[in-house]
Protein backbone atom coordinates (compact mmCIF):
# COMPACT_ATOMS: atom_id res chain seq x y z
CA UNK A 1 0.00 0.00 0.00
CA UNK A 2 1.19 3.46 -0.89
CA UNK A 3 -0.29 6.43 0.94
CA UNK A 4 -0.24 9.78 -0.84
CA UNK A 5 -1.00 13.17 0.63
CA UNK A 6 -1.14 16.81 -0.32
CA UNK A 7 -1.09 17.58 -4.00
CA UNK A 8 -0.17 15.19 -6.79
CA UNK A 9 1.03 17.49 -9.51
CA UNK A 10 3.90 18.26 -11.87
CA UNK A 11 6.29 18.65 -8.96
CA UNK A 12 5.30 15.68 -6.80
CA UNK A 13 4.21 13.14 -9.44
CA UNK A 14 7.80 11.97 -10.13
CA UNK A 15 8.15 10.94 -6.49
CA UNK A 16 4.91 8.95 -6.70
CA UNK A 17 6.05 7.37 -9.99
CA UNK A 18 9.33 6.29 -8.38
CA UNK A 19 7.51 4.80 -5.39
CA UNK A 20 5.13 2.81 -7.61
CA UNK A 21 7.88 1.60 -9.96
CA UNK A 22 9.98 0.49 -6.98
CA UNK A 23 7.02 -1.44 -5.59
CA UNK A 24 6.50 -3.20 -8.92
CA UNK A 25 10.20 -3.96 -9.31
CA UNK A 26 10.19 -5.43 -5.79
CA UNK A 27 7.58 -7.93 -6.96
CA UNK A 28 4.28 -6.27 -6.10
CA UNK A 29 1.51 -6.92 -8.60
CA UNK A 30 -1.40 -5.36 -6.74
CA UNK A 31 -0.86 -1.68 -6.07
CA UNK A 32 -3.19 -0.16 -3.48
CA UNK A 33 -3.02 3.61 -3.25
CA UNK A 34 -4.55 5.29 -0.21
CA UNK A 35 -5.74 8.64 -1.60
CA UNK A 36 -7.47 9.77 1.61
CA UNK A 37 -4.86 12.46 2.25
CA UNK A 38 -4.52 13.70 -1.35
CA UNK A 39 -6.19 17.09 -1.69
CA UNK A 40 -5.58 17.51 -5.43
CA UNK A 41 -4.45 15.50 -8.45
CA UNK A 42 -3.66 17.08 -11.81
CA UNK A 43 -3.16 15.47 -15.22
CA UNK A 44 0.46 14.61 -14.41
CA UNK A 45 -0.65 12.65 -11.36
CA UNK A 46 -3.40 10.92 -13.33
CA UNK A 47 -0.82 9.95 -15.96
CA UNK A 48 1.40 8.40 -13.28
CA UNK A 49 -1.54 6.39 -11.92
CA UNK A 50 -2.55 5.19 -15.39
CA UNK A 51 1.01 4.17 -16.23
CA UNK A 52 1.36 2.26 -12.96
CA UNK A 53 -1.98 0.55 -13.56
CA UNK A 54 -0.83 -0.58 -17.00
CA UNK A 55 2.48 -1.89 -15.63
CA UNK A 56 0.66 -3.72 -12.85
CA UNK A 57 -1.86 -5.25 -15.25
CA UNK A 58 0.96 -6.32 -17.57
CA UNK A 59 2.22 -8.37 -14.61
CA UNK A 60 -1.18 -9.89 -13.91
CA UNK A 61 -2.08 -7.46 -11.15
CA UNK A 62 -4.01 -4.24 -10.82
CA UNK A 63 -3.98 -0.80 -9.27
CA UNK A 64 -6.67 0.19 -6.78
CA UNK A 65 -7.47 3.60 -5.36
CA UNK A 66 -8.82 3.97 -1.84
CA UNK A 67 -10.82 6.88 -0.41
CA UNK A 68 -10.19 9.64 -2.94
CA UNK A 69 -11.37 13.03 -1.62
CA UNK A 70 -14.18 14.80 -3.49
CA UNK A 71 -11.80 17.05 -5.49
CA UNK A 72 -9.80 14.04 -6.72
CA UNK A 73 -12.95 12.01 -7.34
CA UNK A 74 -14.34 14.84 -9.45
CA UNK A 75 -11.27 14.73 -11.72
CA UNK A 76 -11.68 10.97 -12.07
CA UNK A 77 -15.37 11.34 -12.89
CA UNK A 78 -14.93 14.20 -15.40
CA UNK A 79 -12.26 12.20 -17.26
CA UNK A 80 -14.24 8.95 -17.10
CA UNK A 81 -11.41 7.31 -15.18
CA UNK A 82 -13.75 6.42 -12.33
CA UNK A 83 -14.85 3.64 -14.71
CA UNK A 84 -11.25 2.58 -15.41
CA UNK A 85 -9.73 2.46 -11.92
CA UNK A 86 -10.90 0.14 -9.17
CA UNK A 87 -11.99 2.60 -6.47
CA UNK A 88 -12.85 1.70 -2.87
CA UNK A 89 -14.66 4.23 -0.65
CA UNK A 90 -12.45 3.48 2.38
CA UNK A 91 -9.91 1.03 3.75
CA UNK A 92 -12.64 -1.11 5.30
CA UNK A 93 -14.04 -1.76 1.81
CA UNK A 94 -10.68 -3.02 0.56
CA UNK A 95 -10.83 -6.75 -0.17
CA UNK A 96 -8.25 -8.95 1.52
CA UNK A 97 -5.67 -10.39 -0.86
CA UNK A 98 -6.30 -14.08 -1.50
CA UNK A 99 -4.34 -16.35 0.76
CA UNK A 100 -2.66 -13.65 2.85
CA UNK A 101 -5.15 -12.98 5.62
CA UNK A 102 -4.24 -9.29 5.55
CA UNK A 103 -4.93 -6.38 3.25
CA UNK A 104 -1.98 -5.30 1.16
Amino acid sequence: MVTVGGEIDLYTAPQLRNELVESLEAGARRLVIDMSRAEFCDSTGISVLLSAMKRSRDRGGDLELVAPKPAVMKVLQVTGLDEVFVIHPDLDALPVAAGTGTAQ
Side-chain angles (χ1 to χ4, degrees), residues 34-71:
D34 179 357
M35 303 284 289
S36 64
R37 296 181 184 161
E39 300 294 332
F40 174 78
C41 186
D42 72 4
S43 61
T44 310
I46 295 294
S47 178
V48 166
L49 295 173
L50 284 168
S51 176
M53 181 181 67
K54 181 184 180 327
R55 287 181 186 199
S56 182
R57 287 183 177 175
D58 287 348
R59 296 172 184 230
D62 207 350
L63 181 142
E64 302 171 46
L65 303 178
V66 178
K69 290 196 176 235

Side-chain angles (χ1 to χ4, degrees), residues 2-17 20 33-49 65 68-69 72 75-76:
V2 175
T3 301
V4 296
E7 297 184 0
I8 307 169
D9 57 19
L10 180 64
Y11 302 105
T12 60
Q15 182 180 357
L16 177 59
R17 180 183 313 108
L20 297 175
I33 304 176
D34 179 357
M35 303 284 289
S36 64
R37 296 181 184 161
E39 300 294 332
F40 174 78
C41 186
D42 72 4
S43 61
T44 310
I46 295 294
S47 178
V48 166
L49 295 173
L65 303 178
K69 290 196 176 235
V72 175
V75 171
L76 295 171

Side-chain angles (χ1 to χ4, degrees), residues 15-33:
Q15 182 180 357
L16 177 59
R17 180 183 313 108
N18 291 341
E19 198 69 33
L20 297 175
V21 167
E22 286 177 17
S23 294
L24 289 168
E25 288 177 354
R29 291 186 346 192
R30 179 183 182 209
L31 296 174
V32 177
I33 304 176

